Amino acid sequence: MYQEVYRAQPFNFFSCPIPPFAKKWYIIVYDINGLGQGVISIRKRWIISAIAGLLLILLSVIAYNYFEIDKTEKGKNAEAKESKIPEVQEYGGIHLEQVSDKVRQKNWGTFTLLETKSINESFELAPMVITIKDIRRIQLSSLTDEAKEELKSYTGLSFDEAYSIYYKEDLSMEEIDQKAALSKTDIDEEVSYLEITYSVENKDSKELQFFSMENVTFNDDHTYDVPSKTFIHSGDTFMGTKKVSRSDYQPGEIRNGTIGLLVDPEENFERLDSFTFTTDDIADGESHEILVEGTSFDIPLKGK
């Protein structure tokens, strides 16, 4: 049986004030077997709206928690994968042998081998002999802030490049240096570079001044000024890359070297097709007299 008990005053539904459109409602008592159970009857539209709102809030909370958990899990997985990569103290590139090999250089970053070309060819500019061993593309990732800052200094214009561009504008050295500084770009989370390993032998009986790679060009249109752009200073390049500061080659001396040149992320560099290098002049170590002018050598890389 249904019995109207009384006309009720507006009350709070879930402790929230009832809007004006919901003020017309009443309470009825539904009695079954003498047991009284209160049933609240209000406008159906308002109930549906309230329930829909609560459902939206609930779904939003569930979705937020899901994505946060997913993000946390991905972070843990990435850390787990990173922890499985071999870690070394020295330059990581020397530990890469096959494409997709990875190694972590402690307190620096992760190295991944993308492409490798085995050359092992010698080029003679008598009495100097340059042997190109390997040319490789390597990706850097998970870099420390210190590594990013270090690599940033090798982007943009070097001082010499800025000087060659702006000296005609009657700028001071300080202003030219500022132009070079403003051309530098931040390093992304991932960046690739081109690595050249080589050796140089002095077959003469006297000291000689020489640098094997003043300029290098990849794929006919990616040119680098090596002395200012190589960020790897190992062996031959550790001895210096400029005549005024470079150690001379002793008679019969053989030096191994490694060059590292950053690839501009905006450049389309997908594979190694060709390589050209231009040497420095050969000069007498004591008199600094030019003995042999520098020259260029081309190496096709397709099929290697």
Side-chain angles (χ1 to χ4, degrees):
M1 69 192 76
Y2 292 92
Q3 179 183 3
E4 183 174 342
V5 180
Y6 58 87
R7 180 71 59 183
Q9 296 297 320
F11 73 98
N12 289 344
F13 184 67
F14 292 117
S15 300
C16 296
I18 301 297
F21 61 79
K23 288 185 178 179
K24 292 184 179 179
W25 52 273
Y26 54 86
I27 295 178
I28 61 173
V29 173
Y30 182 36
D31 192 9
I32 304 177
N33 297 328
L35 297 175
Q37 296 183 355
V39 180
I40 301 173
S41 175
I42 66 176
R43 283 195 173 183
K44 188 181 293 184
R45 184 178 298 174
W46 186 75
I47 295 177
I48 293 173
S49 298
I51 293 174
L54 289 171
L55 285 174
L56 284 174
I57 294 172
L58 182 61
L59 289 172
S60 298
V61 172
I62 293 172
Y64 174 80
N65 288 333
Y66 171 80
F67 286 115
E68 283 298 309
I69 292 171
D70 185 57
K71 190 188 298 182
T72 302
E73 288 300 319
K74 286 181 178 178
K76 289 180 180 178
N77 291 336
E79 289 177 4
K81 287 181 180 179
E82 191 74 18
S83 65
K84 293 179 182 178
I85 298 173
E87 186 173 83
V88 297
Q89 299 285 343
E90 63 279 359
Y91 167 59
I94 62 175
H95 297 276
L96 303 174
E97 297 179 357
Q98 298 180 350
V99 173
S100 77
D101 279 358
K102 290 188 177 185
V103 69
R104 173 81 184 170
Q105 183 177 325
K106 188 175 182 181
N107 299 325
W108 209 82
T110 299
F111 295 69
T112 305
L113 183 57
L114 301 177
E115 184 180 11
T116 182
K117 300 288 185 179
S118 181
I119 311 300
N120 295 317
E121 292 183 25
S122 295
F123 305 86
E124 186 169 358
L125 183 65
M128 307 300 291
V129 177
I130 307 110
T131 300
I132 307 298
K133 298 178 180 179
D134 297 285
I135 299 176
R136 309 192 296 176
R137 276 196 310 125
I138 297 174
Q139 183 183 69
L140 297 172
S141 59
S142 302
L143 293 164
T144 62
D145 291 340
E146 291 78 7
K148 288 181 180 180
E149 198 62 29
E150 176 187 341
L151 293 174
K152 180 179 178 179
S153 65
Y154 294 96
T155 65
L157 299 173
S158 66
F159 177 81
D160 290 342
E161 290 171 325
Y163 180 81
S164 67
I165 295 171
Y166 297 109
Y167 81 98
K168 292 182 180 179
E169 297 183 14
D170 198 28
L171 298 179
S172 66
M173 292 298 182
E174 184 178 352
E175 289 172 322
I176 291 175
D177 187 55
Q178 188 175 23
K179 290 280 188 183
L182 291 173
S183 72
K184 307 300 180 183
T185 57
D186 292 332
I187 300 298
D188 294 332
E189 292 304 310
E190 293 182 350
V191 65
S192 61
Y193 71 95
L194 303 165
E195 179 202 73
I196 307 162
T197 53
Y198 66 98
S199 67
V200 180
E201 181 180 3
N202 177 12
K203 289 191 171 184
D204 205 78
S205 58
K206 55 187 176 184
E207 291 185 16
L208 295 175
Q209 288 182 338
F210 181 67
F211 185 55
S212 56
M213 298 187 201
E214 281 287 287
N215 296 287
V216 298
T217 300
F218 297 89
N219 299 356
D220 298 325
D221 61 355
H222 301 282
T223 299
Y224 295 85
D225 174 60
V226 175
S228 63
K229 294 299 185 182
T230 180
F231 68 90
I232 298 175
H233 301 281
S234 172
D236 185 50
T237 50
F238 184 73
M239 298 293 184
T241 55
K242 295 183 179 181
K243 293 178 184 177
V244 293
S245 59
R246 183 170 172 76
S247 298
D248 295 344
Y249 284 91
Q250 299 302 307
E253 182 182 5
I254 299 176
R255 291 182 191 170
N256 293 305
T258 304
I259 291 169
L261 304 165
L262 292 173
V263 175
D264 188 334
E266 296 183 359
E267 293 182 348
N268 184 23
F269 204 119
E270 297 180 351
R271 63 179 183 272
L272 291 163
D273 290 330
S274 66
F275 175 67
T276 300
F277 69 96
T278 301
T279 72
D280 186 13
D281 299 329
I282 300 175
D284 185 278
E286 294 184 2
S287 67
H288 309 302
E289 176 188 355
I290 301 297
L291 303 176
V292 183
E293 291 186 351
T295 189
S296 297
F297 297 96
D298 297 323
I299 305 175
L301 299 179
K302 286 184 178 179
K304 289 187 178 293

